[in-house]
PDB file of all heavy atoms in Angstrom:
ATOM      1  N   PHE R  29       3.254  -6.807   2.461  1.00  0.00           N
ATOM      2  CA  PHE R  29       3.315  -5.499   1.733  1.00  0.00           C
ATOM      3  C   PHE R  29       4.342  -5.373   0.588  1.00  0.00           C
ATOM      4  O   PHE R  29       4.394  -4.313  -0.092  1.00  0.00           O
ATOM      5  CB  PHE R  29       3.921  -4.333   2.879  1.00  0.00           C
ATOM      6  CG  PHE R  29       2.799  -3.942   3.827  1.00  0.00           C
ATOM      7  CD1 PHE R  29       2.717  -4.452   5.216  1.00  0.00           C
ATOM      8  CD2 PHE R  29       1.702  -3.215   3.476  1.00  0.00           C
ATOM      9  CE1 PHE R  29       1.857  -4.064   6.041  1.00  0.00           C
ATOM     10  CE2 PHE R  29       0.659  -2.883   4.396  1.00  0.00           C
ATOM     11  CZ  PHE R  29       0.794  -3.257   5.681  1.00  0.00           C
ATOM     12  N   LYS R  30       4.988  -6.437   0.378  1.00  0.00           N
ATOM     13  CA  LYS R  30       5.930  -6.469  -0.754  1.00  0.00           C
ATOM     14  C   LYS R  30       5.442  -7.706  -1.869  1.00  0.00           C
ATOM     15  O   LYS R  30       6.007  -7.659  -2.866  1.00  0.00           O
ATOM     16  CB  LYS R  30       7.316  -6.682  -0.391  1.00  0.00           C
ATOM     17  CG  LYS R  30       7.684  -7.977   0.351  1.00  0.00           C
ATOM     18  CD  LYS R  30       9.188  -8.095   0.643  1.00  0.00           C
ATOM     19  CE  LYS R  30       9.627  -9.219   1.229  1.00  0.00           C
ATOM     20  NZ  LYS R  30      11.051  -9.323   1.680  1.00  0.00           N
ATOM     21  N   ASN R  31       4.640  -8.530  -1.378  1.00  0.00           N
ATOM     22  CA  ASN R  31       4.152  -9.602  -2.311  1.00  0.00           C
ATOM     23  C   ASN R  31       3.167  -9.079  -3.200  1.00  0.00           C
ATOM     24  O   ASN R  31       2.157  -8.423  -2.794  1.00  0.00           O
ATOM     25  CB  ASN R  31       3.609 -10.725  -1.414  1.00  0.00           C
ATOM     26  CG  ASN R  31       4.648 -11.455  -0.573  1.00  0.00           C
ATOM     27  OD1 ASN R  31       5.882 -11.329  -1.004  1.00  0.00           O
ATOM     28  ND2 ASN R  31       4.235 -12.104   0.401  1.00  0.00           N
ATOM     29  N   ALA R  32       3.227  -9.396  -4.551  1.00  0.00           N
ATOM     30  CA  ALA R  32       2.298  -9.022  -5.510  1.00  0.00           C
ATOM     31  C   ALA R  32       1.034  -9.909  -5.587  1.00  0.00           C
ATOM     32  O   ALA R  32       1.233 -11.054  -5.371  1.00  0.00           O
ATOM     33  CB  ALA R  32       2.814  -8.748  -6.827  1.00  0.00           C
ATOM     34  N   SER R  33      -0.066  -9.293  -5.883  1.00  0.00           N
ATOM     35  CA  SER R  33      -1.252 -10.171  -6.030  1.00  0.00           C
ATOM     36  C   SER R  33      -1.626 -10.093  -7.473  1.00  0.00           C
ATOM     37  O   SER R  33      -1.480  -9.041  -8.162  1.00  0.00           O
ATOM     38  CB  SER R  33      -2.438  -9.569  -5.252  1.00  0.00           C
ATOM     39  OG  SER R  33      -3.566 -10.287  -5.404  1.00  0.00           O
ATOM     40  N   LEU R  34      -2.165 -11.230  -8.044  1.00  0.00           N
ATOM     41  CA  LEU R  34      -2.373 -11.288  -9.546  1.00  0.00           C
ATOM     42  C   LEU R  34      -3.886 -11.379  -9.858  1.00  0.00           C
ATOM     43  O   LEU R  34      -4.595 -12.024  -9.160  1.00  0.00           O
ATOM     44  CB  LEU R  34      -1.549 -12.409 -10.157  1.00  0.00           C
ATOM     45  CG  LEU R  34       0.016 -12.548  -9.982  1.00  0.00           C
ATOM     46  CD1 LEU R  34       0.519 -13.749 -10.560  1.00  0.00           C
ATOM     47  CD2 LEU R  34       0.515 -11.300 -10.665  1.00  0.00           C
ATOM     48  N   ASN R  35      -4.156 -10.853 -10.902  1.00  0.00           N
ATOM     49  CA  ASN R  35      -5.460 -10.920 -11.497  1.00  0.00           C
ATOM     50  C   ASN R  35      -5.650 -12.298 -12.235  1.00  0.00           C
ATOM     51  O   ASN R  35      -4.740 -13.006 -12.417  1.00  0.00           O
ATOM     52  CB  ASN R  35      -5.928  -9.826 -12.437  1.00  0.00           C
ATOM     53  CG  ASN R  35      -6.032  -8.478 -11.817  1.00  0.00           C
ATOM     54  OD1 ASN R  35      -6.635  -8.309 -10.720  1.00  0.00           O
ATOM     55  ND2 ASN R  35      -5.261  -7.486 -12.352  1.00  0.00           N
ATOM     56  N   GLU R  36      -6.938 -12.636 -12.607  1.00  0.00           N
ATOM     57  CA  GLU R  36      -6.972 -13.949 -13.239  1.00  0.00           C
ATOM     58  C   GLU R  36      -6.191 -14.009 -14.608  1.00  0.00           C
ATOM     59  O   GLU R  36      -5.770 -15.086 -15.067  1.00  0.00           O
ATOM     60  CB  GLU R  36      -8.400 -14.168 -13.610  1.00  0.00           C
ATOM     61  CG  GLU R  36      -9.295 -14.467 -12.323  1.00  0.00           C
ATOM     62  CD  GLU R  36     -10.824 -14.723 -12.672  1.00  0.00           C
ATOM     63  OE1 GLU R  36     -11.087 -14.713 -13.847  1.00  0.00           O
ATOM     64  OE2 GLU R  36     -11.457 -15.021 -11.759  1.00  0.00           O
ATOM     65  N   ASP R  37      -6.006 -12.837 -15.314  1.00  0.00           N
ATOM     66  CA  ASP R  37      -5.199 -12.810 -16.506  1.00  0.00           C
ATOM     67  C   ASP R  37      -3.785 -12.672 -16.413  1.00  0.00           C
ATOM     68  O   ASP R  37      -2.973 -12.592 -17.310  1.00  0.00           O
ATOM     69  CB  ASP R  37      -5.677 -11.634 -17.389  1.00  0.00           C
ATOM     70  CG  ASP R  37      -5.546 -10.324 -16.733  1.00  0.00           C
ATOM     71  OD1 ASP R  37      -4.981 -10.257 -15.579  1.00  0.00           O
ATOM     72  OD2 ASP R  37      -5.857  -9.291 -17.368  1.00  0.00           O
ATOM     73  N   GLY R  38      -3.325 -12.753 -15.103  1.00  0.00           N
ATOM     74  CA  GLY R  38      -1.789 -12.839 -14.758  1.00  0.00           C
ATOM     75  C   GLY R  38      -1.268 -11.384 -14.406  1.00  0.00           C
ATOM     76  O   GLY R  38      -0.100 -11.388 -14.235  1.00  0.00           O
ATOM     77  N   THR R  39      -1.962 -10.455 -14.710  1.00  0.00           N
ATOM     78  CA  THR R  39      -1.564  -9.075 -14.453  1.00  0.00           C
ATOM     79  C   THR R  39      -1.513  -8.820 -12.957  1.00  0.00           C
ATOM     80  O   THR R  39      -2.277  -9.369 -12.253  1.00  0.00           O
ATOM     81  CB  THR R  39      -2.354  -8.081 -15.208  1.00  0.00           C
ATOM     82  OG1 THR R  39      -3.729  -8.096 -14.789  1.00  0.00           O
ATOM     83  CG2 THR R  39      -2.339  -8.201 -16.693  1.00  0.00           C
ATOM     84  N   ALA R  40      -0.742  -7.746 -12.535  1.00  0.00           N
ATOM     85  CA  ALA R  40      -0.600  -7.390 -11.166  1.00  0.00           C
ATOM     86  C   ALA R  40      -1.931  -6.708 -10.684  1.00  0.00           C
ATOM     87  O   ALA R  40      -2.352  -5.746 -11.307  1.00  0.00           O
ATOM     88  CB  ALA R  40       0.665  -6.545 -10.931  1.00  0.00           C
ATOM     89  N   ALA R  41      -2.401  -7.053  -9.559  1.00  0.00           N
ATOM     90  CA  ALA R  41      -3.680  -6.550  -9.153  1.00  0.00           C
ATOM     91  C   ALA R  41      -3.368  -5.508  -8.027  1.00  0.00           C
ATOM     92  O   ALA R  41      -2.286  -5.517  -7.451  1.00  0.00           O
ATOM     93  CB  ALA R  41      -4.549  -7.625  -8.419  1.00  0.00           C
ATOM     94  N   THR R  42      -4.255  -4.353  -7.986  1.00  0.00           N
ATOM     95  CA  THR R  42      -3.991  -3.466  -6.762  1.00  0.00           C
ATOM     96  C   THR R  42      -4.398  -4.020  -5.497  1.00  0.00           C
ATOM     97  O   THR R  42      -5.297  -4.723  -5.413  1.00  0.00           O
ATOM     98  CB  THR R  42      -4.810  -2.311  -7.165  1.00  0.00           C
ATOM     99  OG1 THR R  42      -4.513  -1.655  -8.383  1.00  0.00           O
ATOM    100  CG2 THR R  42      -4.715  -1.118  -6.089  1.00  0.00           C
ATOM    101  N   VAL R  43      -3.420  -3.914  -4.565  1.00  0.00           N
ATOM    102  CA  VAL R  43      -3.628  -4.280  -3.180  1.00  0.00           C
ATOM    103  C   VAL R  43      -4.217  -3.072  -2.403  1.00  0.00           C
ATOM    104  O   VAL R  43      -3.349  -2.091  -2.279  1.00  0.00           O
ATOM    105  CB  VAL R  43      -2.401  -4.881  -2.660  1.00  0.00           C
ATOM    106  CG1 VAL R  43      -2.687  -5.308  -1.142  1.00  0.00           C
ATOM    107  CG2 VAL R  43      -2.061  -6.084  -3.467  1.00  0.00           C
ATOM    108  N   ASN R  44      -5.267  -3.055  -1.857  1.00  0.00           N
ATOM    109  CA  ASN R  44      -5.921  -1.852  -1.142  1.00  0.00           C
ATOM    110  C   ASN R  44      -5.617  -2.044   0.309  1.00  0.00           C
ATOM    111  O   ASN R  44      -5.912  -2.957   0.994  1.00  0.00           O
ATOM    112  CB  ASN R  44      -7.360  -1.777  -1.311  1.00  0.00           C
ATOM    113  CG  ASN R  44      -7.736  -1.447  -2.802  1.00  0.00           C
ATOM    114  OD1 ASN R  44      -7.268  -0.544  -3.376  1.00  0.00           O
ATOM    115  ND2 ASN R  44      -8.564  -2.268  -3.444  1.00  0.00           N
ATOM    116  N   CYS R  45      -4.847  -1.026   0.836  1.00  0.00           N
ATOM    117  CA  CYS R  45      -4.347  -1.021   2.257  1.00  0.00           C
ATOM    118  C   CYS R  45      -4.785   0.220   3.085  1.00  0.00           C
ATOM    119  O   CYS R  45      -5.160   1.240   2.523  1.00  0.00           O
ATOM    120  CB  CYS R  45      -2.817  -1.044   2.309  1.00  0.00           C
ATOM    121  SG  CYS R  45      -2.093  -2.440   1.275  1.00  0.00           S
ATOM    122  N   LEU R  46      -4.865   0.036   4.253  1.00  0.00           N
ATOM    123  CA  LEU R  46      -4.970   1.138   5.258  1.00  0.00           C
ATOM    124  C   LEU R  46      -4.007   1.254   6.310  1.00  0.00           C
ATOM    125  O   LEU R  46      -3.746   0.105   6.982  1.00  0.00           O
ATOM    126  CB  LEU R  46      -6.446   1.016   5.991  1.00  0.00           C
ATOM    127  CG  LEU R  46      -6.728   1.901   7.045  1.00  0.00           C
ATOM    128  CD1 LEU R  46      -6.682   3.453   6.675  1.00  0.00           C
ATOM    129  CD2 LEU R  46      -8.035   1.464   7.693  1.00  0.00           C
ATOM    130  N   GLU R  47      -3.409   2.298   6.627  1.00  0.00           N
ATOM    131  CA  GLU R  47      -2.641   2.484   7.798  1.00  0.00           C
ATOM    132  C   GLU R  47      -3.430   3.422   8.696  1.00  0.00           C
ATOM    133  O   GLU R  47      -3.718   4.533   8.474  1.00  0.00           O
ATOM    134  CB  GLU R  47      -1.198   3.192   7.494  1.00  0.00           C
ATOM    135  CG  GLU R  47      -0.363   3.190   8.779  1.00  0.00           C
ATOM    136  CD  GLU R  47       0.872   4.041   8.867  1.00  0.00           C
ATOM    137  OE1 GLU R  47       0.927   4.906   8.026  1.00  0.00           O
ATOM    138  OE2 GLU R  47       1.568   3.740   9.776  1.00  0.00           O
ATOM    139  N   VAL R  48      -3.697   2.764   9.934  1.00  0.00           N
ATOM    140  CA  VAL R  48      -4.409   3.647  10.947  1.00  0.00           C
ATOM    141  C   VAL R  48      -3.349   4.259  11.865  1.00  0.00           C
ATOM    142  O   VAL R  48      -2.276   3.587  11.969  1.00  0.00           O
ATOM    143  CB  VAL R  48      -5.304   2.772  11.803  1.00  0.00           C
ATOM    144  CG1 VAL R  48      -6.520   2.073  10.931  1.00  0.00           C
ATOM    145  CG2 VAL R  48      -4.604   1.604  12.427  1.00  0.00           C
ATOM    146  N   GLY R  49      -3.522   5.471  12.201  1.00  0.00           N
ATOM    147  CA  GLY R  49      -2.616   6.117  12.980  1.00  0.00           C
ATOM    148  C   GLY R  49      -1.288   6.456  12.168  1.00  0.00           C
ATOM    149  O   GLY R  49      -0.173   6.060  12.474  1.00  0.00           O
ATOM    150  N   CYS R  50      -1.561   6.986  10.961  1.00  0.00           N
ATOM    151  CA  CYS R  50      -0.508   7.234  10.002  1.00  0.00           C
ATOM    152  C   CYS R  50       0.587   8.276  10.483  1.00  0.00           C
ATOM    153  O   CYS R  50       1.671   8.275   9.738  1.00  0.00           O
ATOM    154  CB  CYS R  50      -1.020   7.641   8.651  1.00  0.00           C
ATOM    155  SG  CYS R  50      -1.945   9.323   8.543  1.00  0.00           S
ATOM    156  N   GLY R  51       0.414   9.054  11.332  1.00  0.00           N
ATOM    157  CA  GLY R  51       1.317  10.038  11.670  1.00  0.00           C
ATOM    158  C   GLY R  51       1.587  10.968  10.457  1.00  0.00           C
ATOM    159  O   GLY R  51       0.732  11.398   9.832  1.00  0.00           O
ATOM    160  N   VAL R  52       2.882  11.282  10.329  1.00  0.00           N
ATOM    161  CA  VAL R  52       3.341  12.070   9.132  1.00  0.00           C
ATOM    162  C   VAL R  52       3.848  11.138   7.906  1.00  0.00           C
ATOM    163  O   VAL R  52       4.376  11.770   7.038  1.00  0.00           O
ATOM    164  CB  VAL R  52       4.412  13.058   9.491  1.00  0.00           C
ATOM    165  CG1 VAL R  52       3.947  13.966  10.616  1.00  0.00           C
ATOM    166  CG2 VAL R  52       5.672  12.245  10.080  1.00  0.00           C
ATOM    167  N   GLY R  53       3.501   9.907   7.854  1.00  0.00           N
ATOM    168  CA  GLY R  53       3.732   9.110   6.792  1.00  0.00           C
ATOM    169  C   GLY R  53       4.987   8.332   6.719  1.00  0.00           C
ATOM    170  O   GLY R  53       5.568   7.880   5.665  1.00  0.00           O
ATOM    171  N   ASN R  54       5.656   8.128   7.935  1.00  0.00           N
ATOM    172  CA  ASN R  54       6.903   7.321   7.926  1.00  0.00           C
ATOM    173  C   ASN R  54       6.805   5.923   7.556  1.00  0.00           C
ATOM    174  O   ASN R  54       7.747   5.245   7.191  1.00  0.00           O
ATOM    175  CB  ASN R  54       7.497   7.419   9.435  1.00  0.00           C
ATOM    176  CG  ASN R  54       7.697   8.856   9.878  1.00  0.00           C
ATOM    177  OD1 ASN R  54       7.022   9.469  10.551  1.00  0.00           O
ATOM    178  ND2 ASN R  54       8.920   9.418   9.399  1.00  0.00           N
ATOM    179  N   PHE R  55       5.541   5.359   7.561  1.00  0.00           N
ATOM    180  CA  PHE R  55       5.311   4.048   6.924  1.00  0.00           C
ATOM    181  C   PHE R  55       4.948   3.984   5.544  1.00  0.00           C
ATOM    182  O   PHE R  55       5.447   3.328   4.689  1.00  0.00           O
ATOM    183  CB  PHE R  55       4.352   3.291   7.892  1.00  0.00           C
ATOM    184  CG  PHE R  55       3.672   2.118   7.294  1.00  0.00           C
ATOM    185  CD1 PHE R  55       4.378   0.971   6.968  1.00  0.00           C
ATOM    186  CD2 PHE R  55       2.357   2.189   6.884  1.00  0.00           C
ATOM    187  CE1 PHE R  55       3.753  -0.112   6.405  1.00  0.00           C
ATOM    188  CE2 PHE R  55       1.701   1.042   6.424  1.00  0.00           C
ATOM    189  CZ  PHE R  55       2.443  -0.090   6.118  1.00  0.00           C
ATOM    190  N   ILE R  56       3.996   4.957   5.182  1.00  0.00           N
ATOM    191  CA  ILE R  56       3.182   4.762   3.818  1.00  0.00           C
ATOM    192  C   ILE R  56       4.122   4.973   2.668  1.00  0.00           C
ATOM    193  O   ILE R  56       4.180   4.322   1.708  1.00  0.00           O
ATOM    194  CB  ILE R  56       1.858   5.532   3.924  1.00  0.00           C
ATOM    195  CG1 ILE R  56       2.252   7.080   4.105  1.00  0.00           C
ATOM    196  CG2 ILE R  56       1.023   5.046   4.912  1.00  0.00           C
ATOM    197  CD1 ILE R  56       1.032   7.961   3.947  1.00  0.00           C
ATOM    198  N   PHE R  57       5.013   6.030   2.892  1.00  0.00           N
ATOM    199  CA  PHE R  57       5.787   6.579   1.632  1.00  0.00           C
ATOM    200  C   PHE R  57       6.911   5.445   1.244  1.00  0.00           C
ATOM    201  O   PHE R  57       7.076   5.253   0.173  1.00  0.00           O
ATOM    202  CB  PHE R  57       6.306   7.902   1.902  1.00  0.00           C
ATOM    203  CG  PHE R  57       5.222   9.001   1.884  1.00  0.00           C
ATOM    204  CD1 PHE R  57       4.939   9.691   2.961  1.00  0.00           C
ATOM    205  CD2 PHE R  57       4.284   9.028   0.803  1.00  0.00           C
ATOM    206  CE1 PHE R  57       3.920  10.652   3.037  1.00  0.00           C
ATOM    207  CE2 PHE R  57       3.265   9.942   0.792  1.00  0.00           C
ATOM    208  CZ  PHE R  57       3.096  10.776   1.962  1.00  0.00           C
ATOM    209  N   PRO R  58       7.632   5.003   2.374  1.00  0.00           N
ATOM    210  CA  PRO R  58       8.545   3.868   1.958  1.00  0.00           C
ATOM    211  C   PRO R  58       7.877   2.752   1.353  1.00  0.00           C
ATOM    212  O   PRO R  58       8.574   2.117   0.367  1.00  0.00           O
ATOM    213  CB  PRO R  58       9.392   3.587   3.341  1.00  0.00           C
ATOM    214  CG  PRO R  58       9.137   4.752   3.985  1.00  0.00           C
ATOM    215  CD  PRO R  58       7.729   5.372   3.735  1.00  0.00           C
ATOM    216  N   VAL R  59       6.861   2.364   1.813  1.00  0.00           N
ATOM    217  CA  VAL R  59       6.082   1.033   1.282  1.00  0.00           C
ATOM    218  C   VAL R  59       5.626   1.443  -0.133  1.00  0.00           C
ATOM    219  O   VAL R  59       5.817   0.657  -1.008  1.00  0.00           O
ATOM    220  CB  VAL R  59       4.966   0.567   2.291  1.00  0.00           C
ATOM    221  CG1 VAL R  59       4.132  -0.342   1.572  1.00  0.00           C
ATOM    222  CG2 VAL R  59       5.653   0.038   3.456  1.00  0.00           C
ATOM    223  N   LEU R  60       5.054   2.551  -0.316  1.00  0.00           N
ATOM    224  CA  LEU R  60       4.536   2.760  -1.608  1.00  0.00           C
ATOM    225  C   LEU R  60       5.656   2.970  -2.644  1.00  0.00           C
ATOM    226  O   LEU R  60       5.413   2.556  -3.833  1.00  0.00           O
ATOM    227  CB  LEU R  60       3.705   4.115  -1.531  1.00  0.00           C
ATOM    228  CG  LEU R  60       2.252   4.141  -0.970  1.00  0.00           C
ATOM    229  CD1 LEU R  60       1.863   5.563  -0.782  1.00  0.00           C
ATOM    230  CD2 LEU R  60       1.412   3.171  -1.823  1.00  0.00           C
ATOM    231  N   GLU R  61       6.681   3.375  -2.304  1.00  0.00           N
ATOM    232  CA  GLU R  61       7.923   3.558  -3.202  1.00  0.00           C
ATOM    233  C   GLU R  61       8.355   2.190  -3.708  1.00  0.00           C
ATOM    234  O   GLU R  61       8.727   2.124  -4.924  1.00  0.00           O
ATOM    235  CB  GLU R  61       9.080   4.278  -2.447  1.00  0.00           C
ATOM    236  CG  GLU R  61      10.313   4.423  -3.382  1.00  0.00           C
ATOM    237  CD  GLU R  61      11.375   5.143  -2.556  1.00  0.00           C
ATOM    238  OE1 GLU R  61      11.427   5.196  -1.297  1.00  0.00           O
ATOM    239  OE2 GLU R  61      12.417   5.482  -3.267  1.00  0.00           O
ATOM    240  N   ARG R  62       8.312   1.245  -2.767  1.00  0.00           N
ATOM    241  CA  ARG R  62       8.878  -0.109  -3.186  1.00  0.00           C
ATOM    242  C   ARG R  62       7.860  -1.055  -3.760  1.00  0.00           C
ATOM    243  O   ARG R  62       8.270  -2.086  -4.389  1.00  0.00           O
ATOM    244  CB  ARG R  62       9.590  -0.690  -1.923  1.00  0.00           C
ATOM    245  CG  ARG R  62      10.850  -0.079  -1.588  1.00  0.00           C
ATOM    246  CD  ARG R  62      11.717  -0.887  -0.709  1.00  0.00           C
ATOM    247  NE  ARG R  62      11.074  -0.899   0.648  1.00  0.00           N
ATOM    248  CZ  ARG R  62      11.311   0.072   1.601  1.00  0.00           C
ATOM    249  NH1 ARG R  62      12.155   1.019   1.370  1.00  0.00           N
ATOM    250  NH2 ARG R  62      10.694   0.045   2.765  1.00  0.00           N
ATOM    251  N   ASN R  63       6.537  -0.751  -3.761  1.00  0.00           N
ATOM    252  CA  ASN R  63       5.494  -1.654  -4.206  1.00  0.00           C
ATOM    253  C   ASN R  63       4.537  -0.823  -5.083  1.00  0.00           C
ATOM    254  O   ASN R  63       3.657  -0.157  -4.555  1.00  0.00           O
ATOM    255  CB  ASN R  63       4.828  -2.364  -3.108  1.00  0.00           C
ATOM    256  CG  ASN R  63       3.879  -3.480  -3.763  1.00  0.00           C
ATOM    257  OD1 ASN R  63       3.545  -3.380  -4.836  1.00  0.00           O
ATOM    258  ND2 ASN R  63       3.716  -4.461  -2.903  1.00  0.00           N
ATOM    259  N   PRO R  64       4.726  -0.803  -6.440  1.00  0.00           N
ATOM    260  CA  PRO R  64       3.757   0.052  -7.268  1.00  0.00           C
ATOM    261  C   PRO R  64       2.434  -0.379  -7.342  1.00  0.00           C
ATOM    262  O   PRO R  64       1.612   0.313  -7.945  1.00  0.00           O
ATOM    263  CB  PRO R  64       4.642   0.076  -8.655  1.00  0.00           C
ATOM    264  CG  PRO R  64       5.251  -1.341  -8.614  1.00  0.00           C
ATOM    265  CD  PRO R  64       5.657  -1.465  -7.301  1.00  0.00           C
ATOM    266  N   HIS R  65       2.055  -1.501  -6.757  1.00  0.00           N
ATOM    267  CA  HIS R  65       0.747  -1.987  -6.899  1.00  0.00           C
ATOM    268  C   HIS R  65      -0.157  -1.823  -5.603  1.00  0.00           C
ATOM    269  O   HIS R  65      -1.259  -2.449  -5.682  1.00  0.00           O
ATOM    270  CB  HIS R  65       0.800  -3.537  -7.261  1.00  0.00           C
ATOM    271  CG  HIS R  65       1.663  -3.837  -8.510  1.00  0.00           C
ATOM    272  ND1 HIS R  65       1.375  -3.466  -9.737  1.00  0.00           N
ATOM    273  CD2 HIS R  65       2.765  -4.551  -8.591  1.00  0.00           C
ATOM    274  CE1 HIS R  65       2.231  -3.701 -10.684  1.00  0.00           C
ATOM    275  NE2 HIS R  65       3.131  -4.414  -9.945  1.00  0.00           N
ATOM    276  N   LEU R  66       0.437  -1.189  -4.736  1.00  0.00           N
ATOM    277  CA  LEU R  66      -0.427  -0.800  -3.552  1.00  0.00           C
ATOM    278  C   LEU R  66      -1.226   0.607  -3.670  1.00  0.00           C
ATOM    279  O   LEU R  66      -0.668   1.578  -4.279  1.00  0.00           O
ATOM    280  CB  LEU R  66       0.644  -0.470  -2.360  1.00  0.00           C
ATOM    281  CG  LEU R  66       1.321  -1.852  -1.795  1.00  0.00           C
ATOM    282  CD1 LEU R  66       2.035  -1.313  -0.513  1.00  0.00           C
ATOM    283  CD2 LEU R  66       0.403  -2.920  -1.581  1.00  0.00           C
ATOM    284  N   PHE R  67      -2.362   0.570  -3.107  1.00  0.00           N
ATOM    285  CA  PHE R  67      -3.150   1.846  -2.929  1.00  0.00           C
ATOM    286  C   PHE R  67      -3.284   1.979  -1.400  1.00  0.00           C
ATOM    287  O   PHE R  67      -3.783   0.976  -0.805  1.00  0.00           O
ATOM    288  CB  PHE R  67      -4.483   1.833  -3.575  1.00  0.00           C
ATOM    289  CG  PHE R  67      -5.148   3.199  -3.327  1.00  0.00           C
ATOM    290  CD1 PHE R  67      -4.904   4.200  -4.131  1.00  0.00           C
ATOM    291  CD2 PHE R  67      -6.112   3.198  -2.218  1.00  0.00           C
ATOM    292  CE1 PHE R  67      -5.616   5.422  -3.886  1.00  0.00           C
ATOM    293  CE2 PHE R  67      -6.698   4.483  -1.958  1.00  0.00           C
ATOM    294  CZ  PHE R  67      -6.451   5.528  -2.729  1.00  0.00           C
ATOM    295  N   MET R  68      -2.984   3.057  -0.968  1.00  0.00           N
ATOM    296  CA  MET R  68      -2.860   3.150   0.536  1.00  0.00           C
ATOM    297  C   MET R  68      -3.767   4.306   1.047  1.00  0.00           C
ATOM    298  O   MET R  68      -3.599   5.501   0.751  1.00  0.00           O
ATOM    299  CB  MET R  68      -1.304   3.526   1.062  1.00  0.00           C
ATOM    300  CG  MET R  68      -1.223   3.574   2.517  1.00  0.00           C
ATOM    301  SD  MET R  68      -1.200   1.986   3.260  1.00  0.00           S
ATOM    302  CE  MET R  68       0.325   1.283   2.676  1.00  0.00           C
ATOM    303  N   TYR R  69      -4.792   3.898   1.807  1.00  0.00           N
ATOM    304  CA  TYR R  69      -5.493   4.900   2.650  1.00  0.00           C
ATOM    305  C   TYR R  69      -4.731   5.117   3.943  1.00  0.00           C
ATOM    306  O   TYR R  69      -4.061   4.246   4.415  1.00  0.00           O
ATOM    307  CB  TYR R  69      -6.882   4.365   3.112  1.00  0.00           C
ATOM    308  CG  TYR R  69      -7.949   4.194   1.955  1.00  0.00           C
ATOM    309  CD1 TYR R  69      -8.059   2.883   1.360  1.00  0.00           C
ATOM    310  CD2 TYR R  69      -8.629   5.274   1.635  1.00  0.00           C
ATOM    311  CE1 TYR R  69      -8.896   2.850   0.301  1.00  0.00           C
ATOM    312  CE2 TYR R  69      -9.633   5.225   0.609  1.00  0.00           C
ATOM    313  CZ  TYR R  69      -9.777   3.788  -0.054  1.00  0.00           C
ATOM    314  OH  TYR R  69     -10.722   3.733  -1.017  1.00  0.00           O
ATOM    315  N   ALA R  70      -4.867   6.301   4.437  1.00  0.00           N
ATOM    316  CA  ALA R  70      -3.974   6.781   5.753  1.00  0.00           C
ATOM    317  C   ALA R  70      -4.796   7.499   6.553  1.00  0.00           C
ATOM    318  O   ALA R  70      -5.304   8.630   6.118  1.00  0.00           O
ATOM    319  CB  ALA R  70      -2.769   7.385   5.283  1.00  0.00           C
ATOM    320  N   CYS R  71      -4.966   7.245   7.837  1.00  0.00           N
ATOM    321  CA  CYS R  71      -5.728   8.091   8.659  1.00  0.00           C
ATOM    322  C   CYS R  71      -5.101   8.330  10.010  1.00  0.00           C
ATOM    323  O   CYS R  71      -4.361   7.561  10.510  1.00  0.00           O
ATOM    324  CB  CYS R  71      -7.212   7.540   8.858  1.00  0.00           C
ATOM    325  SG  CYS R  71      -7.294   6.014   9.902  1.00  0.00           S
ATOM    326  N   ASP R  72      -5.469   9.379  10.612  1.00  0.00           N
ATOM    327  CA  ASP R  72      -4.860   9.813  11.974  1.00  0.00           C
ATOM    328  C   ASP R  72      -5.959  10.783  12.604  1.00  0.00           C
ATOM    329  O   ASP R  72      -6.615  11.385  11.933  1.00  0.00           O
ATOM    330  CB  ASP R  72      -3.525  10.531  11.798  1.00  0.00           C
ATOM    331  CG  ASP R  72      -2.766  10.449  13.079  1.00  0.00           C
ATOM    332  OD1 ASP R  72      -3.056  11.079  14.034  1.00  0.00           O
ATOM    333  OD2 ASP R  72      -1.736   9.456  13.191  1.00  0.00           O
ATOM    334  N   PHE R  73      -6.011  10.744  13.858  1.00  0.00           N
ATOM    335  CA  PHE R  73      -6.942  11.631  14.622  1.00  0.00           C
ATOM    336  C   PHE R  73      -6.188  13.037  14.832  1.00  0.00           C
ATOM    337  O   PHE R  73      -6.945  13.817  15.553  1.00  0.00           O
ATOM    338  CB  PHE R  73      -7.620  11.000  15.865  1.00  0.00           C
ATOM    339  CG  PHE R  73      -6.658  10.636  16.995  1.00  0.00           C
ATOM    340  CD1 PHE R  73      -5.287  10.910  17.097  1.00  0.00           C
ATOM    341  CD2 PHE R  73      -7.184  10.075  18.054  1.00  0.00           C
ATOM    342  CE1 PHE R  73      -4.465  10.508  18.046  1.00  0.00           C
ATOM    343  CE2 PHE R  73      -6.463   9.802  19.217  1.00  0.00           C
ATOM    344  CZ  PHE R  73      -5.059  10.034  19.187  1.00  0.00           C
TER     345      PHE R  73
END
């Protein structure tokens, strides 16, 4: 969750993630704050 992924041209690539059972976001928001290259789906029942 903190390692950057690179495109072929050396730029940072978007890492697409999903948190299942996200609750009220206690995981997703701290991680998104520290890694600007993440996109996070989040679901809960």
Side-chain angles (χ1 to χ4, degrees):
F29 287 105
K30 66 180 180 181
N31 295 335
S33 180
L34 300 178
N35 294 311
E36 292 182 359
D37 61 1
T39 59
T42 298
V43 180
N44 292 305
C45 307
L46 164 67
E47 186 191 17
V48 294
C50 65
V52 297
N54 299 101
F55 160 71
I56 57 177
F57 293 119
V59 169
L60 286 173
E61 180 183 9
R62 288 191 289 271
N63 191 333
H65 305 296
L66 294 184
F67 179 86
M68 185 75 69
Y69 291 98
C71 70
D72 201 287
F73 64 1

